[in-house]
Short mmCIF file of all heavy atoms in Angstrom, two decimals:
data_model
loop_
_atom_site.label_atom_id
_atom_site.label_comp_id
_atom_site.label_asym_id
_atom_site.label_seq_id
_atom_site.Cartn_x
_atom_site.Cartn_y
_atom_site.Cartn_z
N MET A 1 14.26 7.53 19.51
CA MET A 1 13.87 7.31 18.13
C MET A 1 13.22 5.94 18.01
O MET A 1 13.71 4.96 18.54
CB MET A 1 15.10 7.42 17.24
CG MET A 1 14.77 7.36 15.79
SD MET A 1 16.17 8.03 14.88
CE MET A 1 16.30 6.81 13.63
N THR A 2 12.13 5.86 17.28
CA THR A 2 11.40 4.60 17.10
C THR A 2 11.87 3.90 15.84
O THR A 2 11.99 4.53 14.78
CB THR A 2 9.89 4.88 16.99
OG1 THR A 2 9.48 5.61 18.13
CG2 THR A 2 9.11 3.60 16.89
N ALA A 3 12.12 2.62 15.94
CA ALA A 3 12.52 1.84 14.78
C ALA A 3 11.27 1.49 13.97
O ALA A 3 10.26 1.07 14.53
CB ALA A 3 13.23 0.56 15.20
N VAL A 4 11.34 1.70 12.69
CA VAL A 4 10.22 1.39 11.81
C VAL A 4 10.72 0.39 10.79
O VAL A 4 11.75 0.58 10.16
CB VAL A 4 9.71 2.65 11.09
CG1 VAL A 4 8.58 2.31 10.14
CG2 VAL A 4 9.26 3.70 12.09
N SER A 5 9.99 -0.71 10.64
CA SER A 5 10.42 -1.70 9.66
C SER A 5 9.56 -1.60 8.42
O SER A 5 8.40 -1.23 8.46
CB SER A 5 10.37 -3.11 10.25
OG SER A 5 9.06 -3.43 10.64
N GLY A 6 10.15 -1.95 7.33
CA GLY A 6 9.52 -1.88 6.03
C GLY A 6 10.61 -1.82 4.98
O GLY A 6 11.76 -2.15 5.27
N GLN A 7 10.25 -1.40 3.80
CA GLN A 7 11.27 -1.26 2.77
C GLN A 7 10.92 -0.09 1.87
O GLN A 7 9.79 0.40 1.86
CB GLN A 7 11.41 -2.54 1.96
CG GLN A 7 10.23 -2.90 1.08
CD GLN A 7 10.44 -4.22 0.39
OE1 GLN A 7 10.64 -5.22 1.03
NE2 GLN A 7 10.38 -4.22 -0.92
N TYR A 8 11.91 0.35 1.12
CA TYR A 8 11.72 1.47 0.20
C TYR A 8 11.61 0.95 -1.23
O TYR A 8 12.21 -0.05 -1.59
CB TYR A 8 12.89 2.45 0.30
CG TYR A 8 12.81 3.32 1.52
CD1 TYR A 8 13.40 2.93 2.71
CD2 TYR A 8 12.11 4.52 1.49
CE1 TYR A 8 13.32 3.73 3.84
CE2 TYR A 8 12.02 5.33 2.62
CZ TYR A 8 12.63 4.92 3.79
OH TYR A 8 12.54 5.71 4.90
N TYR A 9 10.83 1.67 -2.02
CA TYR A 9 10.70 1.39 -3.44
C TYR A 9 11.01 2.68 -4.18
O TYR A 9 10.50 3.74 -3.81
CB TYR A 9 9.27 0.93 -3.76
CG TYR A 9 9.01 0.78 -5.24
CD1 TYR A 9 9.41 -0.37 -5.91
CD2 TYR A 9 8.38 1.79 -5.96
CE1 TYR A 9 9.19 -0.50 -7.28
CE2 TYR A 9 8.16 1.66 -7.32
CZ TYR A 9 8.57 0.51 -7.97
OH TYR A 9 8.35 0.38 -9.32
N LEU A 10 11.83 2.61 -5.20
CA LEU A 10 12.16 3.77 -6.03
C LEU A 10 11.29 3.69 -7.28
O LEU A 10 11.41 2.74 -8.07
CB LEU A 10 13.64 3.77 -6.38
CG LEU A 10 14.18 5.06 -6.97
CD1 LEU A 10 13.97 6.23 -6.02
CD2 LEU A 10 15.65 4.90 -7.30
N SER A 11 10.41 4.66 -7.45
CA SER A 11 9.42 4.60 -8.53
C SER A 11 10.05 4.70 -9.91
O SER A 11 11.11 5.30 -10.10
CB SER A 11 8.39 5.70 -8.35
OG SER A 11 8.97 6.97 -8.58
N LYS A 12 9.33 4.10 -10.84
CA LYS A 12 9.64 4.23 -12.26
C LYS A 12 8.60 5.19 -12.85
O LYS A 12 7.50 5.33 -12.31
CB LYS A 12 9.55 2.87 -12.95
CG LYS A 12 10.58 1.88 -12.45
CD LYS A 12 10.44 0.59 -13.25
CE LYS A 12 10.60 -0.61 -12.39
NZ LYS A 12 9.54 -1.14 -11.65
N ASP A 13 8.94 5.83 -13.93
CA ASP A 13 8.03 6.78 -14.55
C ASP A 13 6.70 6.09 -14.88
O ASP A 13 6.67 5.04 -15.50
CB ASP A 13 8.65 7.35 -15.83
CG ASP A 13 7.93 8.60 -16.32
OD1 ASP A 13 7.50 9.39 -15.46
OD2 ASP A 13 7.79 8.77 -17.54
N GLY A 14 5.61 6.67 -14.40
CA GLY A 14 4.28 6.13 -14.68
C GLY A 14 3.73 5.21 -13.61
O GLY A 14 2.60 4.74 -13.71
N ASP A 15 4.49 4.93 -12.55
CA ASP A 15 3.98 4.10 -11.45
C ASP A 15 2.78 4.79 -10.80
O ASP A 15 2.73 6.01 -10.69
CB ASP A 15 5.04 3.88 -10.38
CG ASP A 15 6.01 2.75 -10.72
OD1 ASP A 15 5.70 1.93 -11.60
OD2 ASP A 15 7.08 2.70 -10.10
N VAL A 16 1.82 3.97 -10.36
CA VAL A 16 0.63 4.45 -9.66
C VAL A 16 0.64 3.80 -8.28
O VAL A 16 0.90 2.60 -8.16
CB VAL A 16 -0.65 4.08 -10.44
CG1 VAL A 16 -1.89 4.56 -9.73
CG2 VAL A 16 -0.59 4.66 -11.86
N LEU A 17 0.35 4.57 -7.24
CA LEU A 17 0.49 4.09 -5.87
C LEU A 17 -0.32 2.84 -5.58
O LEU A 17 0.20 1.89 -5.00
CB LEU A 17 0.13 5.18 -4.87
CG LEU A 17 0.33 4.80 -3.41
CD1 LEU A 17 1.80 4.49 -3.13
CD2 LEU A 17 -0.18 5.86 -2.49
N ASP A 18 -1.59 2.79 -5.98
CA ASP A 18 -2.38 1.61 -5.64
C ASP A 18 -1.86 0.36 -6.33
O ASP A 18 -1.94 -0.74 -5.79
CB ASP A 18 -3.88 1.81 -5.88
CG ASP A 18 -4.23 2.14 -7.31
OD1 ASP A 18 -3.36 2.58 -8.07
OD2 ASP A 18 -5.41 1.97 -7.67
N GLU A 19 -1.26 0.51 -7.50
CA GLU A 19 -0.65 -0.65 -8.18
C GLU A 19 0.62 -1.09 -7.43
O GLU A 19 0.89 -2.29 -7.33
CB GLU A 19 -0.32 -0.31 -9.63
CG GLU A 19 -1.57 -0.13 -10.48
CD GLU A 19 -1.25 0.33 -11.89
OE1 GLU A 19 -0.07 0.63 -12.20
OE2 GLU A 19 -2.20 0.43 -12.69
N LEU A 20 1.38 -0.13 -6.91
CA LEU A 20 2.57 -0.48 -6.11
C LEU A 20 2.16 -1.22 -4.85
O LEU A 20 2.78 -2.22 -4.48
CB LEU A 20 3.35 0.77 -5.71
CG LEU A 20 4.00 1.59 -6.81
CD1 LEU A 20 4.64 2.84 -6.22
CD2 LEU A 20 5.01 0.76 -7.55
N VAL A 21 1.12 -0.73 -4.19
CA VAL A 21 0.63 -1.37 -2.97
C VAL A 21 0.16 -2.78 -3.27
O VAL A 21 0.48 -3.73 -2.56
CB VAL A 21 -0.49 -0.52 -2.33
CG1 VAL A 21 -1.19 -1.28 -1.21
CG2 VAL A 21 0.08 0.79 -1.81
N PHE A 22 -0.59 -2.95 -4.35
CA PHE A 22 -1.08 -4.28 -4.72
C PHE A 22 0.09 -5.22 -5.01
O PHE A 22 0.11 -6.37 -4.56
CB PHE A 22 -2.00 -4.20 -5.94
CG PHE A 22 -2.61 -5.52 -6.29
CD1 PHE A 22 -3.77 -5.95 -5.66
CD2 PHE A 22 -2.02 -6.35 -7.23
CE1 PHE A 22 -4.34 -7.18 -5.98
CE2 PHE A 22 -2.57 -7.58 -7.54
CZ PHE A 22 -3.74 -8.00 -6.91
N ALA A 23 1.08 -4.74 -5.75
CA ALA A 23 2.23 -5.58 -6.10
C ALA A 23 3.03 -5.98 -4.85
O ALA A 23 3.53 -7.10 -4.76
CB ALA A 23 3.14 -4.85 -7.08
N HIS A 24 3.12 -5.08 -3.88
CA HIS A 24 3.93 -5.36 -2.69
C HIS A 24 3.18 -6.21 -1.66
O HIS A 24 3.73 -7.16 -1.12
CB HIS A 24 4.38 -4.05 -2.04
CG HIS A 24 5.24 -4.23 -0.84
ND1 HIS A 24 6.55 -4.66 -0.92
CD2 HIS A 24 4.99 -4.08 0.48
CE1 HIS A 24 7.06 -4.75 0.29
NE2 HIS A 24 6.13 -4.41 1.17
N TYR A 25 1.92 -5.85 -1.38
CA TYR A 25 1.17 -6.50 -0.31
C TYR A 25 0.23 -7.61 -0.80
O TYR A 25 -0.25 -8.39 0.00
CB TYR A 25 0.34 -5.48 0.47
CG TYR A 25 1.15 -4.42 1.16
CD1 TYR A 25 1.16 -3.11 0.69
CD2 TYR A 25 1.91 -4.71 2.28
CE1 TYR A 25 1.89 -2.13 1.32
CE2 TYR A 25 2.65 -3.73 2.92
CZ TYR A 25 2.64 -2.45 2.43
OH TYR A 25 3.38 -1.46 3.05
N GLY A 26 -0.08 -7.62 -2.09
CA GLY A 26 -0.99 -8.63 -2.62
C GLY A 26 -2.43 -8.18 -2.72
O GLY A 26 -3.26 -8.85 -3.32
N ASP A 27 -2.75 -7.05 -2.12
CA ASP A 27 -4.07 -6.44 -2.23
C ASP A 27 -3.99 -5.00 -1.75
O ASP A 27 -2.94 -4.56 -1.30
CB ASP A 27 -5.14 -7.22 -1.45
CG ASP A 27 -4.89 -7.27 0.05
OD1 ASP A 27 -4.38 -6.28 0.61
OD2 ASP A 27 -5.19 -8.30 0.67
N THR A 28 -5.12 -4.29 -1.86
CA THR A 28 -5.16 -2.91 -1.40
C THR A 28 -6.17 -2.74 -0.27
O THR A 28 -6.52 -1.63 0.10
CB THR A 28 -5.53 -1.96 -2.55
OG1 THR A 28 -6.79 -2.36 -3.09
CG2 THR A 28 -4.47 -1.96 -3.64
N ALA A 29 -6.61 -3.86 0.29
CA ALA A 29 -7.63 -3.83 1.35
C ALA A 29 -7.03 -3.46 2.70
O ALA A 29 -5.82 -3.39 2.87
CB ALA A 29 -8.31 -5.19 1.43
N ALA A 30 -7.92 -3.27 3.66
CA ALA A 30 -7.56 -3.06 5.07
C ALA A 30 -6.67 -1.84 5.29
O ALA A 30 -5.80 -1.84 6.15
CB ALA A 30 -6.93 -4.31 5.66
N GLY A 31 -6.87 -0.79 4.50
CA GLY A 31 -6.16 0.45 4.73
C GLY A 31 -4.70 0.46 4.33
O GLY A 31 -3.94 1.29 4.82
N LYS A 32 -4.29 -0.44 3.45
CA LYS A 32 -2.88 -0.49 3.05
C LYS A 32 -2.44 0.76 2.30
O LYS A 32 -1.35 1.28 2.54
CB LYS A 32 -2.61 -1.75 2.25
CG LYS A 32 -2.70 -3.02 3.09
CD LYS A 32 -2.45 -4.25 2.25
CE LYS A 32 -2.54 -5.51 3.09
NZ LYS A 32 -3.92 -5.94 3.32
N VAL A 33 -3.26 1.24 1.38
CA VAL A 33 -2.91 2.46 0.64
C VAL A 33 -2.80 3.63 1.61
O VAL A 33 -1.85 4.42 1.55
CB VAL A 33 -3.94 2.76 -0.47
CG1 VAL A 33 -3.66 4.10 -1.13
CG2 VAL A 33 -3.93 1.65 -1.52
N GLU A 34 -3.75 3.71 2.54
CA GLU A 34 -3.74 4.78 3.53
C GLU A 34 -2.50 4.69 4.43
O GLU A 34 -1.92 5.72 4.80
CB GLU A 34 -5.02 4.75 4.37
CG GLU A 34 -6.27 5.11 3.59
CD GLU A 34 -6.84 3.97 2.76
OE1 GLU A 34 -6.30 2.84 2.79
OE2 GLU A 34 -7.84 4.21 2.06
N ALA A 35 -2.10 3.48 4.78
CA ALA A 35 -0.89 3.30 5.61
C ALA A 35 0.35 3.78 4.88
O ALA A 35 1.23 4.41 5.48
CB ALA A 35 -0.75 1.83 6.01
N VAL A 36 0.44 3.51 3.59
CA VAL A 36 1.59 3.96 2.80
C VAL A 36 1.57 5.48 2.69
O VAL A 36 2.60 6.14 2.83
CB VAL A 36 1.60 3.29 1.41
CG1 VAL A 36 2.68 3.90 0.52
CG2 VAL A 36 1.82 1.79 1.55
N LEU A 37 0.39 6.06 2.48
CA LEU A 37 0.30 7.52 2.42
C LEU A 37 0.69 8.15 3.75
O LEU A 37 1.36 9.18 3.78
CB LEU A 37 -1.10 7.95 2.01
CG LEU A 37 -1.45 7.72 0.53
CD1 LEU A 37 -2.93 7.95 0.29
CD2 LEU A 37 -0.61 8.61 -0.37
N SER A 38 0.28 7.55 4.86
CA SER A 38 0.65 8.06 6.18
C SER A 38 2.15 7.99 6.42
O SER A 38 2.73 8.86 7.07
CB SER A 38 -0.05 7.27 7.28
OG SER A 38 -1.38 7.64 7.38
N ALA A 39 2.78 6.96 5.91
CA ALA A 39 4.22 6.77 6.10
C ALA A 39 5.05 7.64 5.17
O ALA A 39 6.26 7.74 5.34
CB ALA A 39 4.57 5.30 5.88
N ASN A 40 4.39 8.29 4.20
CA ASN A 40 5.09 9.10 3.21
C ASN A 40 4.45 10.48 3.10
O ASN A 40 3.71 10.76 2.13
CB ASN A 40 5.06 8.41 1.84
CG ASN A 40 5.82 7.12 1.81
OD1 ASN A 40 7.02 7.12 1.62
ND2 ASN A 40 5.11 6.01 2.03
N PRO A 41 4.70 11.37 4.06
CA PRO A 41 4.10 12.70 4.00
C PRO A 41 4.46 13.40 2.68
O PRO A 41 5.61 13.35 2.22
CB PRO A 41 4.73 13.44 5.18
CG PRO A 41 5.20 12.36 6.10
CD PRO A 41 5.55 11.19 5.22
N GLY A 42 3.47 14.00 2.06
CA GLY A 42 3.69 14.72 0.80
C GLY A 42 3.53 13.87 -0.43
O GLY A 42 3.49 14.40 -1.56
N LEU A 43 3.42 12.56 -0.28
CA LEU A 43 3.31 11.68 -1.45
C LEU A 43 2.02 11.94 -2.22
O LEU A 43 2.02 11.98 -3.45
CB LEU A 43 3.38 10.21 -1.02
CG LEU A 43 3.36 9.17 -2.13
CD1 LEU A 43 4.56 9.35 -3.06
CD2 LEU A 43 3.36 7.76 -1.55
N ALA A 44 0.92 12.16 -1.53
CA ALA A 44 -0.36 12.39 -2.20
C ALA A 44 -0.32 13.67 -3.04
O ALA A 44 -0.98 13.75 -4.08
CB ALA A 44 -1.49 12.46 -1.18
N ALA A 45 0.47 14.65 -2.62
CA ALA A 45 0.56 15.91 -3.35
C ALA A 45 1.26 15.76 -4.70
O ALA A 45 1.14 16.63 -5.56
CB ALA A 45 1.30 16.94 -2.51
N LEU A 46 1.95 14.64 -4.91
CA LEU A 46 2.65 14.42 -6.18
C LEU A 46 1.71 14.00 -7.30
O LEU A 46 2.11 13.96 -8.46
CB LEU A 46 3.74 13.36 -6.00
CG LEU A 46 4.85 13.71 -5.02
CD1 LEU A 46 5.83 12.56 -4.90
CD2 LEU A 46 5.56 14.99 -5.44
N GLY A 47 0.49 13.64 -6.95
CA GLY A 47 -0.49 13.25 -7.96
C GLY A 47 -0.61 11.74 -8.07
O GLY A 47 0.11 10.98 -7.41
N ALA A 48 -1.53 11.31 -8.92
CA ALA A 48 -1.85 9.89 -9.04
C ALA A 48 -0.73 9.10 -9.72
O ALA A 48 -0.47 7.96 -9.37
CB ALA A 48 -3.15 9.71 -9.81
N VAL A 49 -0.10 9.71 -10.71
CA VAL A 49 0.96 9.02 -11.46
C VAL A 49 2.30 9.59 -11.03
O VAL A 49 2.53 10.80 -11.10
CB VAL A 49 0.75 9.20 -12.99
CG1 VAL A 49 1.84 8.48 -13.76
CG2 VAL A 49 -0.63 8.71 -13.40
N LEU A 50 3.17 8.71 -10.56
CA LEU A 50 4.47 9.14 -10.03
C LEU A 50 5.51 9.27 -11.14
O LEU A 50 5.51 8.50 -12.10
CB LEU A 50 4.97 8.14 -8.99
CG LEU A 50 4.07 7.92 -7.78
CD1 LEU A 50 4.62 6.79 -6.92
CD2 LEU A 50 3.93 9.20 -6.98
N ASP A 51 6.40 10.22 -10.96
CA ASP A 51 7.56 10.34 -11.84
C ASP A 51 8.61 9.33 -11.40
O ASP A 51 8.54 8.78 -10.30
CB ASP A 51 8.15 11.75 -11.75
CG ASP A 51 7.24 12.81 -12.36
OD1 ASP A 51 6.52 12.49 -13.32
OD2 ASP A 51 7.26 13.95 -11.86
N ALA A 52 9.59 9.13 -12.22
CA ALA A 52 10.69 8.24 -11.87
C ALA A 52 11.51 8.85 -10.74
O ALA A 52 11.67 10.08 -10.66
CB ALA A 52 11.58 8.00 -13.09
N GLY A 53 11.99 8.00 -9.84
CA GLY A 53 12.90 8.44 -8.81
C GLY A 53 12.27 8.86 -7.49
O GLY A 53 12.97 9.36 -6.62
N VAL A 54 10.97 8.64 -7.31
CA VAL A 54 10.32 8.97 -6.05
C VAL A 54 10.53 7.80 -5.09
O VAL A 54 10.20 6.66 -5.40
CB VAL A 54 8.81 9.24 -6.25
CG1 VAL A 54 8.13 9.49 -4.90
CG2 VAL A 54 8.59 10.41 -7.19
N SER A 55 11.07 8.09 -3.92
CA SER A 55 11.29 7.06 -2.91
C SER A 55 10.01 6.89 -2.11
O SER A 55 9.52 7.83 -1.49
CB SER A 55 12.44 7.47 -1.99
OG SER A 55 12.66 6.48 -1.02
N VAL A 56 9.45 5.68 -2.15
CA VAL A 56 8.19 5.38 -1.45
C VAL A 56 8.50 4.34 -0.37
O VAL A 56 8.98 3.25 -0.66
CB VAL A 56 7.13 4.82 -2.43
CG1 VAL A 56 5.84 4.49 -1.69
CG2 VAL A 56 6.88 5.80 -3.56
N PHE A 57 8.22 4.70 0.90
CA PHE A 57 8.41 3.77 2.00
C PHE A 57 7.18 2.89 2.11
O PHE A 57 6.05 3.37 2.18
CB PHE A 57 8.64 4.51 3.31
CG PHE A 57 8.85 3.59 4.48
CD1 PHE A 57 9.98 2.80 4.55
CD2 PHE A 57 7.91 3.50 5.48
CE1 PHE A 57 10.18 1.94 5.62
CE2 PHE A 57 8.09 2.64 6.55
CZ PHE A 57 9.23 1.86 6.62
N LEU A 58 7.39 1.57 2.11
CA LEU A 58 6.31 0.58 2.24
C LEU A 58 6.43 -0.06 3.61
O LEU A 58 7.23 -0.97 3.81
CB LEU A 58 6.42 -0.46 1.12
CG LEU A 58 6.34 0.10 -0.30
CD1 LEU A 58 6.80 -0.92 -1.32
CD2 LEU A 58 4.94 0.57 -0.60
N PRO A 59 5.64 0.44 4.58
CA PRO A 59 5.77 -0.07 5.95
C PRO A 59 5.23 -1.49 6.07
O PRO A 59 4.43 -1.94 5.24
CB PRO A 59 4.91 0.91 6.76
CG PRO A 59 3.88 1.38 5.79
CD PRO A 59 4.58 1.43 4.46
N ASP A 60 5.69 -2.18 7.11
CA ASP A 60 5.11 -3.48 7.40
C ASP A 60 3.68 -3.24 7.88
O ASP A 60 3.45 -2.44 8.78
CB ASP A 60 5.90 -4.21 8.49
CG ASP A 60 7.26 -4.68 7.99
OD1 ASP A 60 7.43 -4.78 6.76
OD2 ASP A 60 8.14 -4.91 8.83
N VAL A 61 2.74 -3.92 7.24
CA VAL A 61 1.33 -3.77 7.59
C VAL A 61 0.81 -5.13 8.00
O VAL A 61 0.94 -6.10 7.26
CB VAL A 61 0.51 -3.24 6.39
CG1 VAL A 61 -0.96 -3.14 6.75
CG2 VAL A 61 1.05 -1.89 5.94
N THR A 62 0.25 -5.20 9.19
CA THR A 62 -0.31 -6.47 9.65
C THR A 62 -1.73 -6.59 9.15
O THR A 62 -2.50 -5.64 9.21
CB THR A 62 -0.29 -6.58 11.18
OG1 THR A 62 -1.02 -5.48 11.72
CG2 THR A 62 1.12 -6.56 11.71
N SER A 63 -2.06 -7.75 8.64
CA SER A 63 -3.41 -8.01 8.16
C SER A 63 -4.25 -8.52 9.31
O SER A 63 -3.80 -9.34 10.11
CB SER A 63 -3.40 -9.05 7.04
OG SER A 63 -2.71 -8.55 5.93
N GLU A 64 -5.47 -8.05 9.35
CA GLU A 64 -6.39 -8.57 10.34
C GLU A 64 -6.88 -9.93 9.89
O GLU A 64 -6.90 -10.24 8.70
CB GLU A 64 -7.58 -7.62 10.50
CG GLU A 64 -7.18 -6.28 11.07
CD GLU A 64 -8.38 -5.37 11.24
OE1 GLU A 64 -9.52 -5.88 11.19
OE2 GLU A 64 -8.17 -4.18 11.40
N THR A 65 -7.29 -10.74 10.84
CA THR A 65 -7.84 -12.04 10.50
C THR A 65 -9.13 -11.83 9.71
O THR A 65 -9.98 -11.04 10.12
CB THR A 65 -8.16 -12.84 11.79
OG1 THR A 65 -6.98 -12.88 12.58
CG2 THR A 65 -8.64 -14.22 11.47
N PRO A 66 -9.27 -12.50 8.57
CA PRO A 66 -10.48 -12.31 7.78
C PRO A 66 -11.73 -12.70 8.58
O PRO A 66 -11.70 -13.66 9.34
CB PRO A 66 -10.30 -13.24 6.59
CG PRO A 66 -8.95 -13.82 6.69
CD PRO A 66 -8.36 -13.44 8.01
N THR A 67 -12.77 -11.93 8.40
CA THR A 67 -14.01 -12.25 9.09
C THR A 67 -14.80 -13.23 8.25
O THR A 67 -14.75 -13.19 7.02
CB THR A 67 -14.85 -10.99 9.33
OG1 THR A 67 -15.07 -10.35 8.07
CG2 THR A 67 -14.15 -10.03 10.26
N GLU A 68 -15.52 -14.09 8.93
CA GLU A 68 -16.34 -15.08 8.24
C GLU A 68 -17.60 -14.41 7.74
O GLU A 68 -18.19 -13.58 8.41
CB GLU A 68 -16.71 -16.20 9.21
CG GLU A 68 -16.32 -17.55 8.70
CD GLU A 68 -16.68 -18.64 9.68
OE1 GLU A 68 -17.80 -19.15 9.59
OE2 GLU A 68 -15.83 -18.94 10.52
N THR A 69 -18.01 -14.77 6.54
CA THR A 69 -19.25 -14.22 6.00
C THR A 69 -20.20 -15.36 5.66
O THR A 69 -19.77 -16.48 5.41
CB THR A 69 -18.99 -13.40 4.72
OG1 THR A 69 -18.34 -14.23 3.76
CG2 THR A 69 -18.11 -12.19 5.01
N ASP A 70 -21.47 -15.04 5.67
CA ASP A 70 -22.49 -16.02 5.29
C ASP A 70 -23.01 -15.67 3.91
O ASP A 70 -23.17 -14.49 3.58
CB ASP A 70 -23.65 -16.00 6.28
CG ASP A 70 -23.26 -16.53 7.65
OD1 ASP A 70 -22.45 -17.47 7.69
OD2 ASP A 70 -23.75 -16.00 8.66
N GLN A 71 -23.27 -16.68 3.11
CA GLN A 71 -23.84 -16.47 1.80
C GLN A 71 -25.35 -16.56 1.93
O GLN A 71 -25.89 -17.57 2.40
CB GLN A 71 -23.33 -17.51 0.81
CG GLN A 71 -23.80 -17.28 -0.59
CD GLN A 71 -23.15 -18.23 -1.57
OE1 GLN A 71 -22.26 -18.99 -1.22
NE2 GLN A 71 -23.60 -18.21 -2.80
N LEU A 72 -26.03 -15.50 1.52
CA LEU A 72 -27.48 -15.46 1.70
C LEU A 72 -28.22 -16.14 0.55
O LEU A 72 -29.27 -16.73 0.77
CB LEU A 72 -27.95 -14.00 1.80
CG LEU A 72 -27.38 -13.23 2.99
CD1 LEU A 72 -27.85 -11.77 2.93
CD2 LEU A 72 -27.80 -13.87 4.29
N TRP A 73 -27.71 -16.04 -0.66
CA TRP A 73 -28.39 -16.65 -1.80
C TRP A 73 -27.42 -17.53 -2.56
O TRP A 73 -26.25 -17.24 -2.68
CB TRP A 73 -28.92 -15.57 -2.74
CG TRP A 73 -29.99 -14.76 -2.11
CD1 TRP A 73 -31.30 -15.08 -2.02
CD2 TRP A 73 -29.85 -13.50 -1.48
NE1 TRP A 73 -31.98 -14.10 -1.37
CE2 TRP A 73 -31.12 -13.11 -1.02
CE3 TRP A 73 -28.77 -12.66 -1.23
CZ2 TRP A 73 -31.33 -11.92 -0.36
CZ3 TRP A 73 -29.01 -11.48 -0.57
CH2 TRP A 73 -30.27 -11.11 -0.14
N GLY A 74 -27.96 -18.58 -3.15
CA GLY A 74 -27.34 -19.47 -4.09
C GLY A 74 -26.04 -19.99 -3.84
O GLY A 74 -25.24 -20.56 -4.32
#
């Protein structure tokens, strides 16, 4: 059995997944929403707005080092 680290969140009525991801991780970039959906089979089938009492596993997600960008104008 593989150990998986992360934490669980018990939804409140009206919670939306991308808002939960933003509140937990600080952003929704780098596939964080997709990682949460992968860690929670069947979660997407519940719809965009969650009912109260849904257990959502929030896995540890490593952020990639930000890439440097150049500003072309102004």
Side-chain angles (χ1 to χ4, degrees):
M1 186 161 134
T2 305
V4 178
S5 60
Q7 68 183 58
Y8 283 91
Y9 173 81
L10 193 59
S11 69
K12 296 183 220 84
D13 195 37
D15 278 343
V16 179
L17 184 62
D18 59 341
E19 291 174 354
L20 294 176
V21 170
F22 185 85
H24 182 73
Y25 298 109
D27 62 36
T28 58
K32 291 179 180 81
V33 173
E34 292 81 2
V36 172
L37 287 170
S38 284
N40 295 276
L43 184 61
L46 298 178
V49 181
L50 300 174
D51 291 329
V54 176
S55 180
V56 179
F57 180 68
L58 301 166
D60 289 340
V61 178
T62 58
S63 296
E64 295 181 16
T65 306
T67 56
E68 235 179 89
T69 58
D70 291 324
Q71 184 173 354
L72 298 176
W73 294 278

